Every structure is written in structure tokens, then in C-alpha cells.
Amino acid sequence: DSGVTQTPKHLITATGQRVTLRCSPRSGDLSVYWYQQSLDQGLQFLIQYYNGEERAKGNILERFSAQQFPDLHSELNLSSLELGDSALYFCASSATGYSNQPQHFGDGTRLSIL
Amino acid sequence: GNSVTQMEGPVTLSEEAFLTINCTYTATGYPSLFWYVQYPGEGLQLLLKATKADDKGSNKGFEATYRKETTSFHLEKGSVQVSDSAVYFCALSDEADQGAQKLVFGQGTRLTINP
């Protein structure tokens, strides 16, 4: 058990819809990361938050947004969903966000767009 | 930009065989290097890490040495078990890359161990 909790485990929805994925980091970790895992793109970094502030952005679409709340949990919002958004979305956390610190991953949310 | 290249899979071995999964990287600065393992239906688990040149990371019989001169971080295990069957990812994190601590992953190598 990594200590990172993601909900829900599975989401099935239709094109054009909006969903919210939730992540609770390990106790004490200030930095949260979101990644997308798909068969064609592999594991891609989406966005990082540190102590409530956005730290870095990767290949995140404009239809996607995220935030980190004062209690340090994070949410990833995906809107105007397309078939190509079907993927496994992982949240990870680390203590302070330094590059030499490992990131600890949740079990992911599997998003299926019908 | 930074990148990680892993040996193509899938890899199939017999139990007790020697394992090597090759990983090479390109980085702007002096990255930290990681191996993660993903079992079916689960998230990624940190297997081992190395944060500077010549460091050796080790865990559960797996080892990898940070080789700056060859920009490599190959994963090895002397005697694999059926329970080692999983997908293995090599990754780097490099603050010189626009100050981000994001992980850049290789494409993953699927390992199957037969009894």
C-alpha cells in the first residue's frame, strides 16, 4: 500500500461529459502529480501541484484542469470528453517535490469513454 | 527534451534465469533515476533509485547502477522468480528541465517468468 488513495477506481461515461478524479496523497506529502497512461502514449506527465500551488504543467489538454486543496488532496477535472481520453489516470505524491525524491503512486482511475 | 529509452519487450525467461533490462537516458542536467514496477491491475511501485553518478540502487534482489559516461541505468537480477512477472518502467526526474520534478518514463518492458 503506497498510502496514495485514488477514487473512483473505474469510471464509465459518454463523449461530451465531464468527470472529476480525486486523489489523497500520502500523509505529510506536499506535492501531487497527475499522469495519464494509455497504450499509444505510454505514461505522460500532466500536472504537478505543491502545497496548493501549480508547480509544473506537462501534456495537459485545455479541457483538463486540476487543483490542490488546503487539506492537500487534489482533483483532476476532465471535460468535453472524447474517445481518446480513455486511459488510466494516476496520481502520485512526494514529500517536498525535489527531483531526487521518489514519487509514490496510487492504483489509478480507469476512465472509459463510450 | 529529456527522454528515456528502454529495451523493447516483451521479455520471457525461465525461473532462476538472469535478467537484464536495458535503459538509457537523455537529460539536460543531472537527473535522478528510478525503476518502477507495475503488477497487473495495480499502480506503479518504486523498485529502486539512484540520485548521482556511480550510485547503485538495490531492492528485492534487483540492482541498477547510474552510469553517467554511458547515460545508462540497466536493471539486473541474478535469479528471477515467477512473482517477478510484471511491467518495468525506467524513469528520470531532472530539475534542470524547466524546474519541474516530473517523471519522464520509458515505454515499459513486460516481463514474463515461466516456471
Side-chain angles (χ1 to χ4, degrees), chain B:
Chain B
N2 293 346
S3 65
V4 175
T5 302
Q6 278 182 244
M7 108 190 231
E8 291 286 334
V11 174
T12 303
L13 296 172
S14 297
E15 206 165 21
E16 299 183 1
F18 184 86
L19 168 71
T20 300
I21 300 178
N22 290 337
C23 170
T24 56
Y25 67 89
T26 302
T28 307
Y30 300 96
S32 294
L33 302 174
F34 306 87
W35 276 100
Y36 282 85
V37 58
Q38 185 177 28
Y39 297 101
E42 297 183 14
L44 284 77
Q45 298 177 24
L46 176 68
L47 185 57
L48 51 84
K49 70 169 188 173
T51 58
K52 61 183 188 297
D54 300 324
D55 267 1
K56 177 186 281 190
S58 61
N59 185 27
K60 299 180 182 179
F62 290 90
E63 294 183 340
T65 301
Y66 189 141
R67 301 284 188 203
K68 188 169 180 293
E69 63 276 12
T70 54
T71 61
S72 66
F73 192 55
H74 305 321
L75 183 68
E76 296 182 336
K77 186 175 185 182
S79 176
V80 293
Q81 306 299 313
V82 172
S83 57
D84 294 327
S85 298
V87 180
Y88 291 80
F89 292 92
C90 184
L92 70 79
S93 180
D94 179 12
E95 282 184 52
D97 181 10
Q98 302 172 350
Q101 292 83 43
K102 64 181 182 184
L103 286 169
V104 176
F105 288 91
Q107 66 270 41
T109 301
R110 182 175 299 279
L111 173 67
T112 302
I113 307 300
N114 294 320

Side-chain angles (χ1 to χ4, degrees), chain A residues 37-49:
Chain A
Q37 185 178 34
S38 62
L39 284 175
D40 53 344
Q41 297 288 330
L43 270 160
Q44 298 281 323
F45 168 72
L46 295 178
I47 197 164
Q48 176 197 3
Y49 279 82

